[in-house]
Amino acid sequence: MEKFIKLSIDRIKLFNLPINVKDEQIGIAISVNSIKETENEIVIDISYRDQELNEETKQINLSYNKNKLSPYDYILIGWIYIVYYYCKSFTEKDEHYKNTAKEFLIKSIKKGVNSCLPHYLLADYPLNYIEGINRLDKLYFALDVYDDTFPDFYSLVYKEDKNKIRAIGLLKKGLEKFPTSFILNYHLSNYLIRKKDYKEALKFLRKINLKEYEDYYGHRFLVHLFYNVFMCNINLGDFDKAERTIKDNVVFNKYEISLLRGLLEHHKSEFEAASNYFLECIQKNLSMLVNYCSYYYLLDCYVKLKKYDLLNDILSVIPDEKIDYLDYYLNMVFQDLAESCLEEIIKLDIDEMSIARAKGLLAPIILYERLPNFNYEPKRILTKKEKNLLEKTESLIKDTLNFYPINQFFLTTFSDVLFLKGKFDESMIVKLKSLECRIYNQVSEAYTNISLENCTETFIKNYKNRIEEIFSEKKKLKEIYVKEQLPLDIKDLFSMKRYDVINNLYFYLREDIDFDNSDYLFEIAYSLKEEEYVDEAEIIYNKILEREPKNTSVLNNLAIIFEKKGELDKAIDLIKTAKDLDQKDTVIINNFNRITGLVKHKKGKKRKINFEIKQKPKLHFDTEKSRIFYGNKFCEIPISTYEYYLCKAIFSKPLGTKISEEEIFEVLDRAKLVERSRTIYDTCLRINKKVESSIGLKKILINRGAMIWIRDEFIK
């Protein structure tokens, strides 16, 4: 995420900023120092500097009246809030900034601002606004409708679109509008290099405006650019031009030049000379990027020179990591070479440990690069060729694990193989066991695709027992799980509403949980409350409030706990604070009205109300639990169904109120469930049957004359 705001001269004027700029300037870069809010005003302290870094930093205050904001003010303030949010350290982060950013950017759209910028910001930062299956359609729509589109917006959509034919079409459309744009020409040249269409790639690389590129994107991207030019030349056999690319450009440091000279010699089949250059890079212990390239090319040189006795020395030090992030430098050229080289090595008559390690390095290349639908279509039926590749990968990684059983990279590769084969429970167990490697190797977390959401119901139900069994003999492994995997598991289980499993994990692991620094306490507290562990929930909610005193969700839920315990004074203080902080949340407002009503009732009657006993049987619908209650009896209503939304609409009004079918259709329409004809009639019948079966009340709903209401005899 960008931690500063880059504004062109046009945008400085558009946002009406009190900043003097010169015509020759490209723009400014803004950093946010502080944000102060009052009831009617927002004051933002910013620092800014010339984008070319040739002037000292200046500081100003921006002051905005909340009641007099223009649509473009909403964009800039939303942008400032989200950048400020991501600049703060984890312990300082306040969801208020993120939520306000989202609110302001959406407001700018609703107010009809003629700009694609809020759409870009809502998509570029994870604000959970443009999500789901229609996300790309909305982004494409914004690119089509607004005139102020810019190259980075095209780049964002291109990188998200997995339909490469459509994505390339988008790039070409963007290049019609911005023919010299670095980022668009660069993406297209990368695509063409992957297709090995080097002549066409060079055509687009030559169009790039280097001045614009260097100022905006910086030195490292310039290295990427000239590397692509270099690779195109050597793959076309034009070694003289490749040599000139090295000599004429000052962007490469001396170690990158060694790497490039090695690549040049390698393409000339001068493997002895090439190996010396690659060995020089490795011995200098340079960046991972340069080292990775050098390792595999050196390995290939030794195979070509038949120096098999040197292979183990290189294989043993190649890092156990995925190589796809080297895309900027090596594209598919590198992966092709790495794969072919490792395929040759595993056929050689060398020691078993070297063969096993070569297999372990080869397996993820096949898995992650030759099965391209792995991340996006895990449930798709594989082709015969893909099935064969998957079987080959499983065989390779199993052979490797016989020699390297405690290697996180190899274990997580095996976990992903099982995931793709649909063996989700086994995949999750392997992932958990891979945590053991953290003890011995102190490696960082390795990404795997499996999560509890993929696992079977039986596995999830017994999850606590599974991990207890795995950790029984390894106390350190349990500590690492709590630190690294438990937060992910809690989030998954919470989204699945598996509060019972969350509570089982909590009671098993609570002595190991760091309550001061964990970001999943809300999910635990909510789960405890749902399962009636209200005292435990209260303790955790209070711990959250110590860190986040303005967390309205916590204030609301804690108020409900005190209401149930009969401590109305505490409940009213908490719910009032929540309402003052967020006056638009209907859940908080409803709870506030209910609790204040209970307080008035208590004072009027001058008696203590027992909240544990229902004073009289009363018909009501609990939207959270999706149940119709009558006294101590209840009837389950399936959530997100016609029955659920019809109950929600009827019980939202005073009991006995007649509601028209049109009102019901509006509710169903918002829930995207409308299918007219007999929808209302049939839904009323189903609810009446369920209630009669579960509670014993006959025909609680009456549907007559296009109106629906609750029978009078059940209201008293």
Side-chain angles (χ1 to χ4, degrees):
M1 298 302 168
E2 291 281 9
K3 295 190 175 181
F4 51 88
I5 298 170
K6 294 173 180 175
L7 294 181
S8 64
I9 302 301
D10 290 339
R11 284 187 183 157
I12 294 171
K13 295 175 182 177
L14 184 68
F15 293 132
N16 198 26
L17 291 173
I19 296 173
N20 294 321
V21 291
K22 302 171 184 177
D23 291 338
E24 64 271 17
Q25 280 184 286
I26 290 176
I28 60 170
I30 293 175
S31 58
V32 187
N33 302 322
S34 67
I35 298 175
K36 294 180 181 178
E37 295 180 59
T38 63
E39 186 175 350
N40 296 314
E41 190 178 29
I42 300 173
V43 179
I44 303 167
D45 179 20
I46 66 168
S47 297
Y48 69 94
R49 55 177 170 73
D50 183 271
Q51 213 162 279
E52 293 177 299
L53 305 179
N54 56 10
E55 289 186 3
E56 63 182 36
T57 300
K58 299 175 183 178
Q59 188 171 342
I60 60 169
N61 281 335
L62 304 176
S63 181
Y64 296 93
N65 185 324
K66 290 182 180 179
N67 301 316
K68 297 180 180 180
L69 296 175
S70 73
Y72 288 100
D73 289 337
Y74 280 114
I75 296 177
L76 181 60
I77 296 171
W79 197 352
I80 286 172
Y81 268 70
I82 195 60
V83 167
Y84 188 58
Y85 173 82
Y86 281 102
C87 282
K88 301 181 78 176
S89 66
F90 178 81
T91 55
E92 294 176 312
K93 279 186 179 179
D94 188 335
E95 291 292 318
H96 165 72
Y97 296 112
K98 185 176 178 181
N99 295 334
T100 303
K102 176 180 174 180
E103 177 187 343
F104 275 40
L105 292 169
I106 293 173
K107 275 186 179 179
S108 71
I109 295 172
K110 289 182 176 179
K111 288 183 176 293
V113 67
N114 187 27
S115 174
C116 69
L117 191 55
H119 297 272
Y120 171 78
L121 294 171
L122 285 162
D124 192 35
Y125 293 92
L127 294 177
N128 301 321
Y129 169 63
I130 307 177
E131 297 294 342
I133 59 173
N134 295 323
R135 174 185 172 92
L136 273 173
D137 292 339
K138 291 176 181 177
L139 295 177
Y140 270 104
F141 176 78
L143 284 171
D144 287 338
V145 168
Y146 299 106
D147 295 329
D148 66 338
T149 53
F150 47 96
D152 278 8
F153 200 166
Y154 284 93
S155 173
L156 169 73
V157 181
Y158 166 75
K159 287 187 285 188
E160 289 204 9
D161 197 346
K162 308 309 173 189
N163 183 334
K164 282 306 169 190
I165 295 176
R166 182 172 63 177
I168 294 302
L170 175 71
L171 281 185
K172 291 180 178 178
K173 184 177 179 181
L175 282 167
E176 290 175 6
K177 189 171 183 179
F178 307 102
T180 63
S181 164
F182 156 72
I183 196 68
L184 301 183
N185 279 294
Y186 183 63
H187 281 317
L188 192 53
S189 66
N190 265 347
Y191 169 76
L192 293 167
I193 290 172
R194 289 190 191 98
K195 291 182 65 179
K196 300 185 179 180
D197 192 347
Y198 303 111
K199 285 185 178 179
E200 193 70 13
L202 272 176
K203 183 193 300 182
F204 285 99
L205 287 167
R206 293 187 184 115
K207 291 181 181 180
I208 295 174
N209 183 334
L210 295 183
K211 177 65 176 174
E212 169 198 339
Y213 164 59
E214 185 175 9
D215 289 335
Y216 191 78
Y217 292 94
H219 173 79
R220 295 311 304 167
F221 276 91
L222 200 57
V223 174
H224 301 158
L225 166 68
F226 284 112
Y227 176 81
N228 274 1
V229 173
F230 171 82
M231 288 301 294
C232 286
N233 284 326
I234 62 173
N235 279 287
L236 289 170
D238 199 335
F239 300 134
D240 291 337
K241 284 186 179 178
E243 181 71 36
R244 284 201 299 274
T245 303
I246 298 174
K247 288 181 177 179
D248 296 346
N249 290 292
V250 295
V251 299
F252 299 118
N253 62 42
K254 62 180 181 179
Y255 304 118
E256 289 165 337
I257 289 174
S258 294
L259 173 63
L260 296 179
R261 291 201 178 281
L263 293 173
L264 183 57
E265 296 300 324
H266 185 276
H267 275 74
K268 291 179 179 179
S269 298
E270 298 291 341
F271 299 116
E272 192 68 55
S275 66
N276 292 330
Y277 283 118
F278 295 133
L279 193 57
E280 178 186 348
C281 293
I282 293 171
Q283 289 173 341
K284 295 291 184 181
N285 194 24
L286 306 175
S287 69
M288 179 64 72
L289 213 52
V290 174
N291 277 357
Y292 232 138
C293 301
S294 302
Y295 281 131
Y296 278 99
Y297 273 95
L298 180 59
L299 207 58
D300 189 63
C301 287
Y302 285 163
V303 170
K304 297 288 195 299
L305 295 168
K306 298 185 179 181
K307 294 185 177 182
Y308 303 142
D309 56 321
L310 299 177
L311 292 178
N312 187 54
D313 294 340
I314 306 302
L315 285 168
S316 62
V317 294
I318 292 179
D320 307 327
E321 294 182 19
K322 288 172 69 174
I323 61 174
D324 58 341
Y325 72 91
L326 293 172
D327 178 64
Y328 280 123
Y329 272 73
L330 297 172
N331 304 306
M332 292 300 288
V333 177
F334 173 79
Q335 286 154 2
D336 286 345
L337 176 129
E339 183 177 0
S340 62
C341 176
L342 292 168
E343 288 278 14
E344 285 189 58
I345 290 173
I346 63 176
K347 297 173 184 176
L348 297 174
D349 185 17
I350 56 177
D351 67 280
E352 291 182 324
M353 291 290 285
S354 296
I355 295 290
R357 188 160 181 83
K359 288 181 176 180
L361 295 170
L362 175 60
I365 295 176
I366 299 174
L367 179 65
Y368 298 119
E369 301 307 324
R370 306 311 179 203
L371 296 169
N373 294 294
F374 176 76
N375 291 317
Y376 312 113
E377 302 176 90
K379 294 183 180 180
R380 180 178 63 78
I381 297 175
L382 301 179
T383 64
K384 183 176 180 180
K385 180 180 179 180
E386 288 171 336
K387 286 180 180 178
N388 291 337
L389 284 173
L390 188 56
E391 292 299 328
K392 177 181 179 179
T393 306
E394 183 177 19
S395 175
L396 289 170
I397 202 65
K398 281 183 175 179
D399 289 349
T400 300
L401 288 171
N402 288 332
F403 292 88
Y404 298 93
I406 307 176
N407 180 295
Q408 188 171 33
F409 180 57
F410 297 151
L411 283 168
T412 51
T413 299
F414 185 39
S415 173
D416 279 346
V417 167
L418 294 170
F419 176 83
L420 195 55
K421 296 191 77 172
K423 299 179 179 180
F424 301 128
D425 296 352
E426 294 177 45
S427 175
M428 191 68 191
I429 289 173
V430 173
K431 179 181 181 178
L432 292 172
K433 289 181 177 180
S434 75
L435 295 172
E436 181 181 1
C437 308
R438 305 290 294 275
I439 302 172
Y440 303 102
N441 303 334
Q442 297 182 330
V443 292
S444 59
E445 180 185 2
Y447 172 77
T448 55
N449 286 272
I450 188 65
S451 69
L452 283 175
E453 292 178 314
N454 307 116
C455 297
T456 63
E457 169 61 24
T458 302
F459 183 87
I460 294 170
K461 186 176 181 180
N462 298 311
Y463 188 57
K464 176 257 180 182
N465 296 332
R466 292 284 189 132
I467 64 170
E468 191 173 9
E469 181 183 333
I470 293 172
F471 303 155
S472 59
E473 297 180 1
K474 297 181 183 294
K475 186 177 179 181
K476 283 281 185 183
L477 187 56
K478 181 180 176 183
E479 292 175 7
I480 293 170
Y481 169 81
V482 170
K483 182 179 178 182
E484 303 293 343
Q485 185 61 35
L486 180 62
L488 303 176
D489 288 346
I490 294 293
K491 299 289 183 185
D492 286 340
L493 291 166
F494 190 76
S495 68
M496 298 158 63
K497 296 186 178 181
R498 292 309 305 264
Y499 309 126
D500 55 331
V501 182
I502 291 176
N503 292 336
N504 288 340
L505 289 174
Y506 167 72
F507 287 117
Y508 169 50
L509 300 166
R510 60 182 166 182
E511 293 181 3
D512 302 283
I513 294 173
D514 182 357
F515 287 95
D516 294 325
N517 296 302
S518 299
D519 66 343
Y520 51 86
L521 295 184
F522 178 87
E523 287 82 355
I524 291 177
Y526 187 96
S527 301
L528 289 166
K529 172 181 163 290
E530 285 296 298
E531 297 286 313
E532 301 301 326
Y533 297 108
V534 290
D535 292 334
E536 290 279 350
E538 179 188 339
I539 292 170
I540 297 177
Y541 276 137
N542 279 318
K543 286 185 177 294
I544 299 173
L545 280 184
E546 290 174 9
R547 292 186 335 205
E548 305 171 38
K550 295 182 180 180
N551 189 317
T552 54
S553 296
V554 173
L555 290 165
N556 175 77
N557 293 357
L558 201 49
I560 293 173
I561 288 176
F562 283 120
E563 176 194 359
K564 288 185 176 181
K565 294 173 72 174
E567 299 179 38
L568 288 184
D569 291 341
K570 292 181 180 179
I572 195 66
D573 287 343
L574 289 162
I575 199 65
K576 185 178 184 304
T577 303
K579 181 175 174 290
D580 290 342
L581 289 169
D582 189 345
Q583 298 181 8
K584 296 180 181 179
D585 190 313
T586 55
V587 173
I588 292 174
I589 292 169
N590 291 338
N591 288 336
F592 175 81
N593 293 336
R594 187 188 67 256
I595 294 172
T596 52
L598 290 171
V599 171
K600 290 176 183 177
H601 178 71
K602 178 181 178 182
K603 290 181 179 178
K605 297 294 184 179
K606 294 184 179 180
R607 62 184 177 84
K608 183 177 179 180
I609 299 173
N610 186 341
F611 286 87
E612 299 301 322
I613 302 172
K614 301 288 183 182
Q615 297 299 309
K616 58 180 179 180
K618 187 175 180 181
L619 192 68
H620 68 281
F621 179 60
D622 187 321
T623 55
E624 289 188 5
K625 295 184 178 180
S626 194
R627 293 174 177 177
I628 295 176
F629 285 90
Y630 190 78
N632 294 322
K633 297 180 179 179
F634 64 87
C635 170
E636 296 278 0
I637 299 294
I639 197 164
S640 299
T641 59
Y642 288 99
E643 294 97 314
Y644 174 84
Y645 287 104
L646 192 146
C647 287
K648 187 175 181 181
I650 291 176
F651 283 94
S652 66
K653 307 283 186 181
L655 296 185
T657 302
K658 294 184 178 181
I659 301 179
S660 69
E661 288 190 354
E662 285 303 316
E663 289 182 73
I664 302 295
F665 277 124
E666 286 181 14
V667 174
L668 296 177
D669 188 43
R670 287 196 295 272
K672 299 181 180 178
L673 289 173
V674 172
E675 291 178 9
R676 300 235 172 190
S677 69
R678 292 170 56 88
T679 298
I680 300 297
Y681 177 80
D682 291 342
T683 304
C684 286
L685 281 180
R686 289 196 295 271
I687 292 172
N688 283 339
K689 286 182 180 179
K690 288 177 187 283
V691 171
E692 183 177 357
S693 174
S694 302
I695 300 178
L697 304 181
K698 294 184 178 181
K699 296 183 179 179
I700 67 164
L701 295 182
I702 297 176
N703 180 9
R704 190 178 302 152
M707 303 294 288
I708 303 98
W709 67 94
I710 297 171
R711 291 173 67 97
D712 292 342
E713 63 187 88
F714 302 126
I715 297 173
K716 300 177 182 179

